[in-house]
Amino acid sequence: MIVVFVLVAAAVLALLAGVHRYVWRRLIGDTTRKGSLARRAGTVAAFALPSLSVGALVSSRAGVPFPVQQVLAWPGYLWLAALLYLTLALLVGEAARPLLRLVLARRAGAAGSAAPHTSEAPDPAAERVTRSAAPDTGSGTGSTRTDVAPHPEATAPAVADPSRRLFVARAVGGAAAVAGLGTVGYGTYGVLRGPRTKRITIPLAGLPRSAHGFRITMVSDIHLGPVLGRAHTRRVVDAINATSPDLVAVVGDLVDGSVADLGSAAEPLAQIEARHGSYFVTGNHEYFSGAAEWVDHVRELGLHPLENARVEVAGFDLAGVNDVAGESEGQGPDFARALGDRDRGRASVLLAHQPVVIDDAVEYGVGLQLSGHTHGGQLWPGNLVAELANPTVAGYERYGDTQLYVSRGAGAWGPPVRVGAPSDITVVQLASPQA
């Protein structure tokens, strides 16, 4: 097992080194002159930025003081996103390079053919004239022959113009930099702006007429940490309260860090306003951050943890299970405990962080499962990878008699950037078949 881990780690490091080398060559090596200030600065950045990324990734696990984690996190994580989109933009630019060269070559050729023609005698320096007596024909008269050698430039092989190569490299590299960094900038703005509100109506079997129109505002994957802090929590809480919810469901991955470091960042959660209360289930990141302490802390903030438990709310059963990551601590999901003895004729809603437990929800007759975890892929084309590991990446799907809704989440893990998967909170309005 250790050997496999070492081999995988070596392969990942080799891949990252190769990608960084490629990006440096296209953005710095091909566009700057040796010894120039721009090349020296770009080379320093090529070593410093990935070092910051490694520091950001390992600092929390290594027990580095939280202020240091914050210093490393912003540049380190942002560079990971920038590297992805710079690489993609440069790869697209590879197809543009030969086309741009061809256009420039044709323009140069057209300019050359359009130069004014002169009938003046050839430049003696560009011609070689040889006169020799013609063979005797018997007439007694001699004849001369004039040989004109072509200009050396007419026979020399074409050599690419260095200035033209530099222009192409800078044009493609500049366009890739604008596209890649612009994408990251816009994706960062989308996260820091706060989640958008989505609304969906879901009919729920067994829901009484009195509960028709019941609104559950669900939020997942807030990911408070060294990048997203108290200000982000306020944005999320304001968005939740603006929906006037009947009930709030916080579906895991609230934090990336300990209560000691992030307890104050989570405090605005105490300002959530919901008629039937706020409920919380753990996500996998809680088990990286001290799940027991966080369960106690959110309870102090007024949220009700559902640890493999069930409550009755407004005529339906609301259940919650621990995340599957808790199995390593003996605290994994227990569907029998949460749902085993319930009346299956009643409507039911299950809070479960990861959508992969949908099969268990179907087995226990759950009407609706609310999940997060996937971030909708967060960084395109990450959604393609997420689809391999999850039954549903985002939105609504039905599995037999059980319905599943997956939120993209309200925050971001790692880079505070989202591309093709905007953050959201979702108002799930329950509909009674009787109505």
Side-chain angles (χ1 to χ4, degrees), residues 86 308 358:
L86 285 173
N308 298 320
I358 185 63

Side-chain angles (χ1 to χ4, degrees), residues 62-74:
V64 173
F66 191 68
V68 177
Q69 294 181 39
Q70 292 176 302
V71 170
L72 294 172
W74 271 102

Side-chain angles (χ1 to χ4, degrees), residues 229-304:
R230 188 183 182 97
H232 184 65
T233 311
R234 286 199 199 96
R235 288 191 291 267
V236 172
V237 170
D238 289 345
I240 290 172
N241 289 340
T243 66
S244 299
D246 293 312
L247 182 146
V248 172
V250 181
V251 195
D253 278 8
L254 171 64
V255 293
D256 285 305
S258 67
V259 172
D261 291 332
L262 295 170
S264 61
E267 287 178 355
L269 294 174
Q271 307 303 317
I272 291 177
E273 300 172 357
R275 297 177 184 85
H276 294 270
S278 305
Y279 294 84
F280 170 80
V281 294
T282 55
N284 54 309
H285 282 247
E286 270 72 59
Y287 292 98
F288 307 149
S289 308
E293 290 82 2
W294 275 110
V295 167
D296 290 339
H297 189 64
V298 298
R299 185 181 288 112
E300 294 172 359
L301 296 176
L303 279 70
H304 306 289

